[in-house]
Amino acid sequence: IEAVQEGETITVLEDITFTTGANGSTNGISYTRGASFTLDLNGKTITSNLGNNALRFKIGDGNTVKDTEVTVLIKNGKIVSGSNNWCAISAATADNSGNKLILNLTDLTIEANKAGDFAVKSWAGAVINTNNVDVTSNYAGGFYAVGGEIVLDENSSVAQKGLHTAPYMSYAFGVSSGTGKMTINGGIYSAVPAAASDANNQGASHGGSEGGVMISGGTLIINGGTFSNDNF
């Protein structure tokens, strides 16, 4: 994937389960360079449980890419992130590189199984746009704008299942840092409460991690959507 050229499409031909991380890392896929491209999952499933992220994008990390706008489209398939991983998808740019990453997610199903983190994260310098993206997050959270930006369309959803010990994340979505921004234009979002005996590594008190949304700085704009249960 590091060798992809501007405007090319990578098409997945079979289901993939990573047994070795990209470029010596514990990421299933890692992309850091300056080409805009499409990753077409072609109805297949990518699975990673190596640690860190299933799919990691950090433009300019460890190379000379600077002041470049990169657009990546990931479409048409399923991403499964195991219990050892932090995120299914992480989008960012290297510090002080001047780069910008636009990550467009279309027609995807995402399953995240790491207790205490979010399925999809946007860090500083990155913008994530969704189009028909369904997230199931077990004992963790859904979308998180941690210094970056996320725009959720009217056809996306998060089903957050189970609570995790505070201060870890058991939310459908979250926003933090002064530059974090999330715009919700519609969709269906749920954060299902669970009894302590049913939750993972759960203490007697859930504390602040029982909400459907977490905000600790940044901007949250809600233009539409369905938010189920009293957690919201």
Side-chain angles (χ1 to χ4, degrees), residues 1 4 6 8 10 29 31-40 55-59 69-75 89 91 100-106 127-129:
I1 195 168
V4 68
E6 182 73 21
E8 288 185 335
I10 298 171
I29 285 177
Y31 186 74
T32 65
R33 300 190 183 276
S36 295
F37 67 96
T38 295
L39 177 61
D40 184 357
L55 279 67
R56 173 187 183 262
F57 300 86
K58 191 171 184 179
I59 306 303
E69 183 172 307
V70 174
T71 300
V72 177
L73 169 62
I74 306 174
K75 66 178 184 177
I89 299 175
K100 181 178 181 179
L101 170 62
I102 300 173
L103 184 61
N104 297 320
L105 308 179
T106 298
V127 179
I128 296 176
N129 300 301

PDB file of all heavy atoms in Angstrom, residues 1 4 6 8 10 29 31-40 55-59 69-75 89 91 100-106 127-129:
ATOM      1  N   ILE A   1       0.830  -1.203   0.000  1.00  0.00           N
ATOM      2  CA  ILE A   1       0.000   0.000   0.000  1.00  0.00           C
ATOM      3  C   ILE A   1       0.867   1.255   0.000  1.00  0.00           C
ATOM      4  O   ILE A   1       0.478   2.286  -0.547  1.00  0.00           O
ATOM      5  CB  ILE A   1      -0.974  -0.006   1.191  1.00  0.00           C
ATOM      6  CG1 ILE A   1      -2.076   1.040   0.978  1.00  0.00           C
ATOM      7  CG2 ILE A   1      -0.270   0.164   2.516  1.00  0.00           C
ATOM      8  CD1 ILE A   1      -3.213   0.915   1.942  1.00  0.00           C
ATOM      9  N   VAL A   4       1.462   2.733  -3.573  1.00  0.00           N
ATOM     10  CA  VAL A   4       0.362   3.152  -4.432  1.00  0.00           C
ATOM     11  C   VAL A   4       0.667   4.520  -5.050  1.00  0.00           C
ATOM     12  O   VAL A   4       1.283   5.379  -4.426  1.00  0.00           O
ATOM     13  CB  VAL A   4      -0.960   3.174  -3.643  1.00  0.00           C
ATOM     14  CG1 VAL A   4      -0.976   4.279  -2.591  1.00  0.00           C
ATOM     15  CG2 VAL A   4      -2.153   3.295  -4.574  1.00  0.00           C
ATOM     16  N   GLU A   6      -0.635   8.055  -7.358  1.00  0.00           N
ATOM     17  CA  GLU A   6      -1.735   9.010  -7.379  1.00  0.00           C
ATOM     18  C   GLU A   6      -2.877   8.511  -8.270  1.00  0.00           C
ATOM     19  O   GLU A   6      -2.676   8.159  -9.428  1.00  0.00           O
ATOM     20  CB  GLU A   6      -1.239  10.361  -7.881  1.00  0.00           C
ATOM     21  CG  GLU A   6      -2.279  11.459  -7.913  1.00  0.00           C
ATOM     22  CD  GLU A   6      -2.637  11.978  -6.529  1.00  0.00           C
ATOM     23  OE1 GLU A   6      -1.829  11.801  -5.591  1.00  0.00           O
ATOM     24  OE2 GLU A   6      -3.722  12.577  -6.406  1.00  0.00           O
ATOM     25  N   GLU A   8      -4.665   5.814  -8.157  1.00  0.00           N
ATOM     26  CA  GLU A   8      -4.843   4.376  -8.349  1.00  0.00           C
ATOM     27  C   GLU A   8      -5.885   3.806  -7.391  1.00  0.00           C
ATOM     28  O   GLU A   8      -6.230   4.404  -6.376  1.00  0.00           O
ATOM     29  CB  GLU A   8      -3.516   3.640  -8.146  1.00  0.00           C
ATOM     30  CG  GLU A   8      -2.514   3.865  -9.262  1.00  0.00           C
ATOM     31  CD  GLU A   8      -1.267   3.026  -9.098  1.00  0.00           C
ATOM     32  OE1 GLU A   8      -0.941   2.641  -7.956  1.00  0.00           O
ATOM     33  OE2 GLU A   8      -0.610   2.763 -10.127  1.00  0.00           O
ATOM     34  N   ILE A  10      -6.683   0.224  -5.248  1.00  0.00           N
ATOM     35  CA  ILE A  10      -6.286  -1.096  -4.758  1.00  0.00           C
ATOM     36  C   ILE A  10      -7.564  -1.875  -4.498  1.00  0.00           C
ATOM     37  O   ILE A  10      -8.428  -1.423  -3.736  1.00  0.00           O
ATOM     38  CB  ILE A  10      -5.464  -0.990  -3.468  1.00  0.00           C
ATOM     39  CG1 ILE A  10      -4.160  -0.221  -3.724  1.00  0.00           C
ATOM     40  CG2 ILE A  10      -5.175  -2.366  -2.893  1.00  0.00           C
ATOM     41  CD1 ILE A  10      -3.399   0.110  -2.450  1.00  0.00           C
ATOM     42  N   ILE A  29      -2.669  -2.292   8.219  1.00  0.00           N
ATOM     43  CA  ILE A  29      -2.294  -1.427   7.099  1.00  0.00           C
ATOM     44  C   ILE A  29      -1.779  -0.129   7.676  1.00  0.00           C
ATOM     45  O   ILE A  29      -2.340   0.414   8.630  1.00  0.00           O
ATOM     46  CB  ILE A  29      -3.505  -1.160   6.177  1.00  0.00           C
ATOM     47  CG1 ILE A  29      -3.807  -2.396   5.316  1.00  0.00           C
ATOM     48  CG2 ILE A  29      -3.268   0.051   5.289  1.00  0.00           C
ATOM     49  CD1 ILE A  29      -5.031  -2.243   4.437  1.00  0.00           C
ATOM     50  N   TYR A  31      -0.382   3.687   6.131  1.00  0.00           N
ATOM     51  CA  TYR A  31      -0.058   4.528   4.977  1.00  0.00           C
ATOM     52  C   TYR A  31       0.391   5.899   5.465  1.00  0.00           C
ATOM     53  O   TYR A  31      -0.303   6.544   6.251  1.00  0.00           O
ATOM     54  CB  TYR A  31      -1.245   4.684   4.029  1.00  0.00           C
ATOM     55  CG  TYR A  31      -0.846   5.429   2.777  1.00  0.00           C
ATOM     56  CD1 TYR A  31      -0.073   4.804   1.807  1.00  0.00           C
ATOM     57  CD2 TYR A  31      -1.192   6.762   2.593  1.00  0.00           C
ATOM     58  CE1 TYR A  31       0.347   5.483   0.675  1.00  0.00           C
ATOM     59  CE2 TYR A  31      -0.785   7.449   1.465  1.00  0.00           C
ATOM     60  CZ  TYR A  31      -0.021   6.810   0.514  1.00  0.00           C
ATOM     61  OH  TYR A  31       0.418   7.486  -0.595  1.00  0.00           O
ATOM     62  N   THR A  32       1.555   6.349   4.982  1.00  0.00           N
ATOM     63  CA  THR A  32       2.137   7.610   5.451  1.00  0.00           C
ATOM     64  C   THR A  32       2.526   8.560   4.325  1.00  0.00           C
ATOM     65  O   THR A  32       2.982   9.670   4.591  1.00  0.00           O
ATOM     66  CB  THR A  32       3.409   7.328   6.277  1.00  0.00           C
ATOM     67  OG1 THR A  32       4.407   6.740   5.428  1.00  0.00           O
ATOM     68  CG2 THR A  32       3.125   6.384   7.442  1.00  0.00           C
ATOM     69  N   ARG A  33       2.352   8.152   3.071  1.00  0.00           N
ATOM     70  CA  ARG A  33       2.895   8.939   1.960  1.00  0.00           C
ATOM     71  C   ARG A  33       1.853   9.879   1.357  1.00  0.00           C
ATOM     72  O   ARG A  33       0.798  10.097   1.947  1.00  0.00           O
ATOM     73  CB  ARG A  33       3.497   7.994   0.928  1.00  0.00           C
ATOM     74  CG  ARG A  33       4.628   7.148   1.535  1.00  0.00           C
ATOM     75  CD  ARG A  33       5.410   6.364   0.514  1.00  0.00           C
ATOM     76  NE  ARG A  33       6.399   5.539   1.167  1.00  0.00           N
ATOM     77  CZ  ARG A  33       7.606   5.936   1.544  1.00  0.00           C
ATOM     78  NH1 ARG A  33       7.976   7.184   1.319  1.00  0.00           N
ATOM     79  NH2 ARG A  33       8.448   5.114   2.133  1.00  0.00           N
ATOM     80  N   GLY A  34       2.170  10.467   0.187  1.00  0.00           N
ATOM     81  CA  GLY A  34       1.420  11.616  -0.301  1.00  0.00           C
ATOM     82  C   GLY A  34       0.518  11.387  -1.481  1.00  0.00           C
ATOM     83  O   GLY A  34       0.069  12.359  -2.107  1.00  0.00           O
ATOM     84  N   ALA A  35       0.184  10.147  -1.833  1.00  0.00           N
ATOM     85  CA  ALA A  35      -0.693   9.888  -2.974  1.00  0.00           C
ATOM     86  C   ALA A  35      -2.140   9.766  -2.513  1.00  0.00           C
ATOM     87  O   ALA A  35      -2.429   9.208  -1.464  1.00  0.00           O
ATOM     88  CB  ALA A  35      -0.273   8.612  -3.693  1.00  0.00           C
ATOM     89  N   SER A  36      -3.050  10.293  -3.338  1.00  0.00           N
ATOM     90  CA  SER A  36      -4.478  10.081  -3.118  1.00  0.00           C
ATOM     91  C   SER A  36      -4.902   8.824  -3.878  1.00  0.00           C
ATOM     92  O   SER A  36      -4.518   8.635  -5.035  1.00  0.00           O
ATOM     93  CB  SER A  36      -5.281  11.285  -3.609  1.00  0.00           C
ATOM     94  OG  SER A  36      -4.982  12.444  -2.856  1.00  0.00           O
ATOM     95  N   PHE A  37      -5.696   7.960  -3.227  1.00  0.00           N
ATOM     96  CA  PHE A  37      -6.029   6.682  -3.854  1.00  0.00           C
ATOM     97  C   PHE A  37      -7.319   6.124  -3.270  1.00  0.00           C
ATOM     98  O   PHE A  37      -7.879   6.663  -2.309  1.00  0.00           O
ATOM     99  CB  PHE A  37      -4.882   5.680  -3.683  1.00  0.00           C
ATOM    100  CG  PHE A  37      -4.653   5.256  -2.251  1.00  0.00           C
ATOM    101  CD1 PHE A  37      -5.216   4.085  -1.755  1.00  0.00           C
ATOM    102  CD2 PHE A  37      -3.856   6.015  -1.404  1.00  0.00           C
ATOM    103  CE1 PHE A  37      -5.009   3.685  -0.441  1.00  0.00           C
ATOM    104  CE2 PHE A  37      -3.635   5.625  -0.092  1.00  0.00           C
ATOM    105  CZ  PHE A  37      -4.208   4.460   0.392  1.00  0.00           C
ATOM    106  N   THR A  38      -7.781   5.017  -3.846  1.00  0.00           N
ATOM    107  CA  THR A  38      -8.976   4.316  -3.388  1.00  0.00           C
ATOM    108  C   THR A  38      -8.613   2.912  -2.933  1.00  0.00           C
ATOM    109  O   THR A  38      -7.864   2.211  -3.617  1.00  0.00           O
ATOM    110  CB  THR A  38     -10.025   4.224  -4.514  1.00  0.00           C
ATOM    111  OG1 THR A  38     -10.472   5.545  -4.841  1.00  0.00           O
ATOM    112  CG2 THR A  38     -11.224   3.384  -4.093  1.00  0.00           C
ATOM    113  N   LEU A  39      -9.132   2.509  -1.789  1.00  0.00           N
ATOM    114  CA  LEU A  39      -9.031   1.136  -1.312  1.00  0.00           C
ATOM    115  C   LEU A  39     -10.423   0.527  -1.403  1.00  0.00           C
ATOM    116  O   LEU A  39     -11.314   0.852  -0.614  1.00  0.00           O
ATOM    117  CB  LEU A  39      -8.508   1.086   0.121  1.00  0.00           C
ATOM    118  CG  LEU A  39      -8.434  -0.301   0.770  1.00  0.00           C
ATOM    119  CD1 LEU A  39      -7.505  -1.225  -0.008  1.00  0.00           C
ATOM    120  CD2 LEU A  39      -7.979  -0.189   2.221  1.00  0.00           C
ATOM    121  N   ASP A  40     -10.622  -0.325  -2.397  1.00  0.00           N
ATOM    122  CA  ASP A  40     -11.913  -0.967  -2.639  1.00  0.00           C
ATOM    123  C   ASP A  40     -11.887  -2.353  -2.005  1.00  0.00           C
ATOM    124  O   ASP A  40     -11.193  -3.257  -2.483  1.00  0.00           O
ATOM    125  CB  ASP A  40     -12.169  -1.066  -4.142  1.00  0.00           C
ATOM    126  CG  ASP A  40     -13.544  -1.648  -4.464  1.00  0.00           C
ATOM    127  OD1 ASP A  40     -14.272  -2.032  -3.535  1.00  0.00           O
ATOM    128  OD2 ASP A  40     -13.875  -1.719  -5.664  1.00  0.00           O
ATOM    129  N   LEU A  55      -6.326  -0.287  10.477  1.00  0.00           N
ATOM    130  CA  LEU A  55      -5.913   0.575   9.372  1.00  0.00           C
ATOM    131  C   LEU A  55      -5.427   1.897   9.952  1.00  0.00           C
ATOM    132  O   LEU A  55      -6.180   2.587  10.650  1.00  0.00           O
ATOM    133  CB  LEU A  55      -7.072   0.850   8.415  1.00  0.00           C
ATOM    134  CG  LEU A  55      -7.412  -0.211   7.359  1.00  0.00           C
ATOM    135  CD1 LEU A  55      -7.943  -1.482   8.005  1.00  0.00           C
ATOM    136  CD2 LEU A  55      -8.436   0.344   6.373  1.00  0.00           C
ATOM    137  N   ARG A  56      -4.185   2.233   9.677  1.00  0.00           N
ATOM    138  CA  ARG A  56      -3.596   3.467  10.199  1.00  0.00           C
ATOM    139  C   ARG A  56      -3.149   4.353   9.045  1.00  0.00           C
ATOM    140  O   ARG A  56      -2.431   3.913   8.140  1.00  0.00           O
ATOM    141  CB  ARG A  56      -2.381   3.160  11.078  1.00  0.00           C
ATOM    142  CG  ARG A  56      -1.587   4.394  11.535  1.00  0.00           C
ATOM    143  CD  ARG A  56      -0.321   3.946  12.241  1.00  0.00           C
ATOM    144  NE  ARG A  56       0.479   5.029  12.774  1.00  0.00           N
ATOM    145  CZ  ARG A  56       1.537   5.549  12.167  1.00  0.00           C
ATOM    146  NH1 ARG A  56       1.922   5.083  10.978  1.00  0.00           N
ATOM    147  NH2 ARG A  56       2.239   6.517  12.722  1.00  0.00           N
ATOM    148  N   PHE A  57      -3.561   5.607   9.087  1.00  0.00           N
ATOM    149  CA  PHE A  57      -3.130   6.603   8.110  1.00  0.00           C
ATOM    150  C   PHE A  57      -2.538   7.777   8.884  1.00  0.00           C
ATOM    151  O   PHE A  57      -3.213   8.390   9.713  1.00  0.00           O
ATOM    152  CB  PHE A  57      -4.310   7.080   7.260  1.00  0.00           C
ATOM    153  CG  PHE A  57      -4.968   5.978   6.486  1.00  0.00           C
ATOM    154  CD1 PHE A  57      -5.969   5.207   7.057  1.00  0.00           C
ATOM    155  CD2 PHE A  57      -4.583   5.701   5.183  1.00  0.00           C
ATOM    156  CE1 PHE A  57      -6.573   4.177   6.356  1.00  0.00           C
ATOM    157  CE2 PHE A  57      -5.172   4.674   4.469  1.00  0.00           C
ATOM    158  CZ  PHE A  57      -6.169   3.919   5.056  1.00  0.00           C
ATOM    159  N   LYS A  58      -1.251   8.073   8.634  1.00  0.00           N
ATOM    160  CA  LYS A  58      -0.603   9.219   9.265  1.00  0.00           C
ATOM    161  C   LYS A  58       0.332   9.839   8.235  1.00  0.00           C
ATOM    162  O   LYS A  58       1.503   9.453   8.117  1.00  0.00           O
ATOM    163  CB  LYS A  58       0.151   8.818  10.537  1.00  0.00           C
ATOM    164  CG  LYS A  58       0.604  10.030  11.354  1.00  0.00           C
ATOM    165  CD  LYS A  58       1.163   9.625  12.706  1.00  0.00           C
ATOM    166  CE  LYS A  58       1.514  10.859  13.534  1.00  0.00           C
ATOM    167  NZ  LYS A  58       2.054  10.486  14.873  1.00  0.00           N
ATOM    168  N   ILE A  59      -0.184  10.790   7.490  1.00  0.00           N
ATOM    169  CA  ILE A  59       0.529  11.344   6.345  1.00  0.00           C
ATOM    170  C   ILE A  59       1.741  12.146   6.802  1.00  0.00           C
ATOM    171  O   ILE A  59       1.641  13.006   7.680  1.00  0.00           O
ATOM    172  CB  ILE A  59      -0.418  12.235   5.511  1.00  0.00           C
ATOM    173  CG1 ILE A  59      -1.679  11.463   5.130  1.00  0.00           C
ATOM    174  CG2 ILE A  59       0.300  12.771   4.274  1.00  0.00           C
ATOM    175  CD1 ILE A  59      -1.433  10.195   4.369  1.00  0.00           C
ATOM    176  N   GLU A  69      -2.143  17.715   0.427  1.00  0.00           N
ATOM    177  CA  GLU A  69      -3.492  17.250   0.749  1.00  0.00           C
ATOM    178  C   GLU A  69      -3.705  15.888   0.107  1.00  0.00           C
ATOM    179  O   GLU A  69      -3.599  15.737  -1.103  1.00  0.00           O
ATOM    180  CB  GLU A  69      -4.549  18.231   0.252  1.00  0.00           C
ATOM    181  CG  GLU A  69      -5.966  17.810   0.626  1.00  0.00           C
ATOM    182  CD  GLU A  69      -7.009  18.864   0.302  1.00  0.00           C
ATOM    183  OE1 GLU A  69      -6.824  20.022   0.753  1.00  0.00           O
ATOM    184  OE2 GLU A  69      -7.991  18.542  -0.391  1.00  0.00           O
ATOM    185  N   VAL A  70      -3.999  14.910   0.929  1.00  0.00           N
ATOM    186  CA  VAL A  70      -4.178  13.532   0.490  1.00  0.00           C
ATOM    187  C   VAL A  70      -5.627  13.130   0.725  1.00  0.00           C
ATOM    188  O   VAL A  70      -6.165  13.337   1.818  1.00  0.00           O
ATOM    189  CB  VAL A  70      -3.237  12.584   1.253  1.00  0.00           C
ATOM    190  CG1 VAL A  70      -3.515  11.134   0.906  1.00  0.00           C
ATOM    191  CG2 VAL A  70      -1.780  12.943   0.968  1.00  0.00           C
ATOM    192  N   THR A  71      -6.267  12.554  -0.297  1.00  0.00           N
ATOM    193  CA  THR A  71      -7.638  12.062  -0.172  1.00  0.00           C
ATOM    194  C   THR A  71      -7.627  10.548  -0.367  1.00  0.00           C
ATOM    195  O   THR A  71      -7.160  10.056  -1.397  1.00  0.00           O
ATOM    196  CB  THR A  71      -8.571  12.706  -1.210  1.00  0.00           C
ATOM    197  OG1 THR A  71      -8.583  14.124  -1.007  1.00  0.00           O
ATOM    198  CG2 THR A  71      -9.991  12.177  -1.058  1.00  0.00           C
ATOM    199  N   VAL A  72      -8.136   9.823   0.615  1.00  0.00           N
ATOM    200  CA  VAL A  72      -8.213   8.362   0.547  1.00  0.00           C
ATOM    201  C   VAL A  72      -9.675   7.952   0.680  1.00  0.00           C
ATOM    202  O   VAL A  72     -10.369   8.388   1.603  1.00  0.00           O
ATOM    203  CB  VAL A  72      -7.377   7.697   1.656  1.00  0.00           C
ATOM    204  CG1 VAL A  72      -7.526   6.177   1.606  1.00  0.00           C
ATOM    205  CG2 VAL A  72      -5.903   8.088   1.518  1.00  0.00           C
ATOM    206  N   LEU A  73     -10.139   7.132  -0.253  1.00  0.00           N
ATOM    207  CA  LEU A  73     -11.489   6.563  -0.198  1.00  0.00           C
ATOM    208  C   LEU A  73     -11.390   5.089   0.150  1.00  0.00           C
ATOM    209  O   LEU A  73     -10.688   4.329  -0.530  1.00  0.00           O
ATOM    210  CB  LEU A  73     -12.189   6.738  -1.547  1.00  0.00           C
ATOM    211  CG  LEU A  73     -13.504   5.962  -1.753  1.00  0.00           C
ATOM    212  CD1 LEU A  73     -14.564   6.401  -0.754  1.00  0.00           C
ATOM    213  CD2 LEU A  73     -13.996   6.123  -3.192  1.00  0.00           C
ATOM    214  N   ILE A  74     -12.080   4.679   1.205  1.00  0.00           N
ATOM    215  CA  ILE A  74     -12.196   3.265   1.564  1.00  0.00           C
ATOM    216  C   ILE A  74     -13.662   2.893   1.414  1.00  0.00           C
ATOM    217  O   ILE A  74     -14.538   3.544   2.005  1.00  0.00           O
ATOM    218  CB  ILE A  74     -11.730   2.995   3.001  1.00  0.00           C
ATOM    219  CG1 ILE A  74     -10.310   3.521   3.221  1.00  0.00           C
ATOM    220  CG2 ILE A  74     -11.776   1.503   3.308  1.00  0.00           C
ATOM    221  CD1 ILE A  74      -9.849   3.417   4.659  1.00  0.00           C
ATOM    222  N   LYS A  75     -13.943   1.834   0.643  1.00  0.00           N
ATOM    223  CA  LYS A  75     -15.342   1.559   0.340  1.00  0.00           C
ATOM    224  C   LYS A  75     -15.642   0.065   0.251  1.00  0.00           C
ATOM    225  O   LYS A  75     -14.761  -0.752   0.032  1.00  0.00           O
ATOM    226  CB  LYS A  75     -15.740   2.235  -0.980  1.00  0.00           C
ATOM    227  CG  LYS A  75     -15.029   1.676  -2.212  1.00  0.00           C
ATOM    228  CD  LYS A  75     -15.529   2.368  -3.481  1.00  0.00           C
ATOM    229  CE  LYS A  75     -14.911   1.756  -4.742  1.00  0.00           C
ATOM    230  NZ  LYS A  75     -15.447   2.382  -5.974  1.00  0.00           N
ATOM    231  N   ILE A  89      -9.859   2.167  12.564  1.00  0.00           N
ATOM    232  CA  ILE A  89      -9.302   3.149  11.631  1.00  0.00           C
ATOM    233  C   ILE A  89      -8.808   4.352  12.422  1.00  0.00           C
ATOM    234  O   ILE A  89      -9.544   4.928  13.230  1.00  0.00           O
ATOM    235  CB  ILE A  89     -10.347   3.614  10.605  1.00  0.00           C
ATOM    236  CG1 ILE A  89     -10.844   2.447   9.761  1.00  0.00           C
ATOM    237  CG2 ILE A  89      -9.773   4.700   9.705  1.00  0.00           C
ATOM    238  CD1 ILE A  89     -11.970   2.816   8.808  1.00  0.00           C
ATOM    239  N   ALA A  91      -6.891   8.120  11.654  1.00  0.00           N
ATOM    240  CA  ALA A  91      -6.511   9.074  10.607  1.00  0.00           C
ATOM    241  C   ALA A  91      -5.817  10.266  11.239  1.00  0.00           C
ATOM    242  O   ALA A  91      -6.326  10.865  12.185  1.00  0.00           O
ATOM    243  CB  ALA A  91      -7.739   9.537   9.836  1.00  0.00           C
ATOM    244  N   LYS A 100      -2.638  17.577   5.035  1.00  0.00           N
ATOM    245  CA  LYS A 100      -4.047  17.392   5.347  1.00  0.00           C
ATOM    246  C   LYS A 100      -4.496  16.066   4.769  1.00  0.00           C
ATOM    247  O   LYS A 100      -4.184  15.748   3.624  1.00  0.00           O
ATOM    248  CB  LYS A 100      -4.904  18.520   4.769  1.00  0.00           C
ATOM    249  CG  LYS A 100      -6.390  18.385   5.091  1.00  0.00           C
ATOM    250  CD  LYS A 100      -7.202  19.557   4.542  1.00  0.00           C
ATOM    251  CE  LYS A 100      -8.690  19.420   4.896  1.00  0.00           C
ATOM    252  NZ  LYS A 100      -9.480  20.566   4.391  1.00  0.00           N
ATOM    253  N   LEU A 101      -5.232  15.290   5.569  1.00  0.00           N
ATOM    254  CA  LEU A 101      -5.770  14.014   5.124  1.00  0.00           C
ATOM    255  C   LEU A 101      -7.285  14.090   5.114  1.00  0.00           C
ATOM    256  O   LEU A 101      -7.905  14.435   6.127  1.00  0.00           O
ATOM    257  CB  LEU A 101      -5.325  12.886   6.054  1.00  0.00           C
ATOM    258  CG  LEU A 101      -6.009  11.525   5.853  1.00  0.00           C
ATOM    259  CD1 LEU A 101      -5.742  10.972   4.463  1.00  0.00           C
ATOM    260  CD2 LEU A 101      -5.572  10.537   6.919  1.00  0.00           C
ATOM    261  N   ILE A 102      -7.883  13.787   3.970  1.00  0.00           N
ATOM    262  CA  ILE A 102      -9.331  13.640   3.866  1.00  0.00           C
ATOM    263  C   ILE A 102      -9.606  12.158   3.653  1.00  0.00           C
ATOM    264  O   ILE A 102      -9.213  11.583   2.637  1.00  0.00           O
ATOM    265  CB  ILE A 102      -9.902  14.470   2.715  1.00  0.00           C
ATOM    266  CG1 ILE A 102      -9.595  15.958   2.922  1.00  0.00           C
ATOM    267  CG2 ILE A 102     -11.410  14.247   2.593  1.00  0.00           C
ATOM    268  CD1 ILE A 102      -9.975  16.829   1.755  1.00  0.00           C
ATOM    269  N   LEU A 103     -10.259  11.538   4.622  1.00  0.00           N
ATOM    270  CA  LEU A 103     -10.538  10.105   4.569  1.00  0.00           C
ATOM    271  C   LEU A 103     -12.040   9.913   4.394  1.00  0.00           C
ATOM    272  O   LEU A 103     -12.828  10.234   5.289  1.00  0.00           O
ATOM    273  CB  LEU A 103     -10.053   9.423   5.847  1.00  0.00           C
ATOM    274  CG  LEU A 103     -10.175   7.908   5.913  1.00  0.00           C
ATOM    275  CD1 LEU A 103      -9.372   7.233   4.817  1.00  0.00           C
ATOM    276  CD2 LEU A 103      -9.738   7.391   7.284  1.00  0.00           C
ATOM    277  N   ASN A 104     -12.444   9.429   3.227  1.00  0.00           N
ATOM    278  CA  ASN A 104     -13.845   9.206   2.917  1.00  0.00           C
ATOM    279  C   ASN A 104     -14.172   7.721   3.084  1.00  0.00           C
ATOM    280  O   ASN A 104     -13.541   6.868   2.451  1.00  0.00           O
ATOM    281  CB  ASN A 104     -14.153   9.650   1.492  1.00  0.00           C
ATOM    282  CG  ASN A 104     -13.943  11.145   1.307  1.00  0.00           C
ATOM    283  OD1 ASN A 104     -14.291  11.941   2.186  1.00  0.00           O
ATOM    284  ND2 ASN A 104     -13.378  11.546   0.183  1.00  0.00           N
ATOM    285  N   LEU A 105     -15.150   7.429   3.921  1.00  0.00           N
ATOM    286  CA  LEU A 105     -15.561   6.057   4.210  1.00  0.00           C
ATOM    287  C   LEU A 105     -16.948   5.848   3.632  1.00  0.00           C
ATOM    288  O   LEU A 105     -17.891   6.565   3.994  1.00  0.00           O
ATOM    289  CB  LEU A 105     -15.578   5.807   5.716  1.00  0.00           C
ATOM    290  CG  LEU A 105     -14.305   6.167   6.493  1.00  0.00           C
ATOM    291  CD1 LEU A 105     -14.504   5.890   7.985  1.00  0.00           C
ATOM    292  CD2 LEU A 105     -13.096   5.426   5.959  1.00  0.00           C
ATOM    293  N   THR A 106     -17.099   4.854   2.746  1.00  0.00           N
ATOM    294  CA  THR A 106     -18.357   4.648   2.035  1.00  0.00           C
ATOM    295  C   THR A 106     -18.732   3.168   2.047  1.00  0.00           C
ATOM    296  O   THR A 106     -17.900   2.312   1.742  1.00  0.00           O
ATOM    297  CB  THR A 106     -18.237   5.131   0.573  1.00  0.00           C
ATOM    298  OG1 THR A 106     -17.972   6.539   0.569  1.00  0.00           O
ATOM    299  CG2 THR A 106     -19.518   4.860  -0.201  1.00  0.00           C
ATOM    300  N   VAL A 127      -9.624  14.833   8.299  1.00  0.00           N
ATOM    301  CA  VAL A 127     -11.079  14.956   8.215  1.00  0.00           C
ATOM    302  C   VAL A 127     -11.627  13.613   7.739  1.00  0.00           C
ATOM    303  O   VAL A 127     -11.192  13.095   6.704  1.00  0.00           O
ATOM    304  CB  VAL A 127     -11.511  16.064   7.235  1.00  0.00           C
ATOM    305  CG1 VAL A 127     -13.031  16.138   7.148  1.00  0.00           C
ATOM    306  CG2 VAL A 127     -10.917  17.415   7.637  1.00  0.00           C
ATOM    307  N   ILE A 128     -12.574  13.049   8.485  1.00  0.00           N
ATOM    308  CA  ILE A 128     -13.218  11.794   8.098  1.00  0.00           C
ATOM    309  C   ILE A 128     -14.664  12.094   7.733  1.00  0.00           C
ATOM    310  O   ILE A 128     -15.402  12.688   8.529  1.00  0.00           O
ATOM    311  CB  ILE A 128     -13.164  10.759   9.232  1.00  0.00           C
ATOM    312  CG1 ILE A 128     -11.717  10.362   9.533  1.00  0.00           C
ATOM    313  CG2 ILE A 128     -13.988   9.518   8.872  1.00  0.00           C
ATOM    314  CD1 ILE A 128     -11.571   9.402  10.706  1.00  0.00           C
ATOM    315  N   ASN A 129     -15.072  11.683   6.519  1.00  0.00           N
ATOM    316  CA  ASN A 129     -16.457  11.811   6.069  1.00  0.00           C
ATOM    317  C   ASN A 129     -17.051  10.424   5.906  1.00  0.00           C
ATOM    318  O   ASN A 129     -16.416   9.534   5.327  1.00  0.00           O
ATOM    319  CB  ASN A 129     -16.513  12.536   4.723  1.00  0.00           C
ATOM    320  CG  ASN A 129     -15.924  13.933   4.785  1.00  0.00           C
ATOM    321  OD1 ASN A 129     -16.384  14.776   5.551  1.00  0.00           O
ATOM    322  ND2 ASN A 129     -14.891  14.181   3.981  1.00  0.00           N
TER     323      ASN A 129
END
